[in-house]
Amino acid sequence: MSQKLENILKEKGPIKKIGVIGMGYVGIPAAALFADSDKFDIVLGFQRDSESSGYKIEMINRGESPLKGEEPGLEELLKKVVDAGKFVCTPDFSRISELDAITLAIQTPFADPKALEPDFGALKEGIRNVGKYLKPGMLVVLESTITPRTTEGMARDILEEESGLKAGEDFALAHAPERVMVGRLLRNIQEHDRIVGGIDQPSTDRAVELYSPVLTKGKVIPMSATAAEVTKTAENTFRDLQIAAANQLALYCEAMGINVYDVRTGIDSLKGEGITRAILWPGAGVGGHCLTKDTYHLERGVKLGTEALDYPQDAESIYVLARRVNDFMPVHMYNLTVAALKRVGKEIKGSKIAMLGWAFINDSDDARNPPSEPYKDMIIAAGAELMVHDPHVLNYPNIEIHKDMNEVISGSDAVVIFTGHKDYFSLNPDDVKKLTTKKCSVIIDGRNVIDPDTFINAGFVYKGIGRGDQNSHEIIN
Ligand code: SAJ
């Protein structure tokens, strides 16, 4: 442990001036909460004055949030801290040298998941900027989701190279992964436990000092930087694995002619001391910005590990296999569509498909990595026509998103429910059938939204994920 760093930090005294790089879904609420604490004097929000997002600087300095969607409490909090002069947004990165602590909340998407290659471009630029203005005694914290070993590795190297200072001796370095969720940004930061991992004990302690004041219900969980990186990527990997387990069970239940939701209820009933069966929900696939990439961060991290991995010979990672099961669900939706059309004597080629739901998550406009997209690609490639309805998503590249559900359903050969938006729970079979103008219409339920019997009795061919008990039903004319 470095006595030098401990002495410098003691000399410097408590953290008073904080900087946050990345005025997005993670950085803005984080900065506002730091600014609202009486433990700190000032928070600077750093935002490049770029074409695409330079507008945020003015907006934030007026106390307005540039974030879309409802974020309870955020507008008021921003106004409060800006009016109090405790939070200022600036494009002047040289002001980093005034600070005691700086956090980086910059997106780390995958350029190419196949090659496990994340796009660290923006993050590296942010780290370089910090390195340029880094001073002894500062704390640097990475909040982005990163491949394990990034803090100890790439981040440390760039900071030391740019500053000429030494991590763990001249400055503190840590990782504190964000756990924000759109719609509850402030609450998640205040109420979730906060994983905080330094490259050494003084760094961890300094990061604990930084985050403790913003937590209400949550508590700080200290560990090493790499353990913090693995925690974040693994917590999402585990969720993806749980969903894949439910999806694989749904496919098995279809093959065995039973209802997966009965089985799910049965499994879920096993409760009691120390018994956990966290069975999640099968569906048309897994989308979003977290679960679709964090598994690959974890897998890449283990490849950078310092010790040899002891694992069954030639066995695939169950985590990557889980990704493949989840990515198969849109293919299964396509197969269900083909099979259902066949039952009414139609080929997929030339059929008109009405797709209900484009967003990756219910009752949201978030359409990042939606499972609906690979399905759409397969439908188009098969020579079918497609119209997409979504009540929340406004636009998406290369696909028109309609707001009039009747227009989308009109004249369609098959209605396919991809997202569990609440608008779809009240679909009326007679209305739908009238709109399709077909003697025998087809409906595919990817999110357990409709009651199969009401549609089957109205003369539909029905197929549903996991509904082995209904997927070969008699056709009622
Ligand atoms: N999904 C299923 N079955 C389920 C749950 C989800 O198919 O039982 C699908 C959803 O339809 C969606 C995808 O998985 O397409 C992801 O859904 P999600 O509920 O995991 O939502 P995310 O991607 O926003 O995940 C976030 C993550 N939170 C953070 O990163 C801070 C994740 O760690 C949380 O567990 C999750 O929210 C949550 O619990 O809401």
Side-chain angles (χ1 to χ4, degrees), residues 17 104 122 132 146 181 195 222-223 241 312 338 372 394 415 444:
K17 295 178 186 161
L104 292 94
K132 250 188 261 168
I146 46 185
M181 277 275 305
I195 310 297
M223 57 182 75
L241 181 64
V338 171
S372 46
L394 295 178
V415 176
I444 315 284

Side-chain angles (χ1 to χ4, degrees), residues 179-181 232 236 239 243 280-281 287 290 360-361 447:
R179 285 172 155 174
V180 298
M181 277 275 305
K232 173 64 188 179
N236 285 340
R239 182 168 174 82
I243 298 168
L280 291 177
W281 299 90
C290 311
F360 88 86
I361 197 152
R447 295 290 176 189

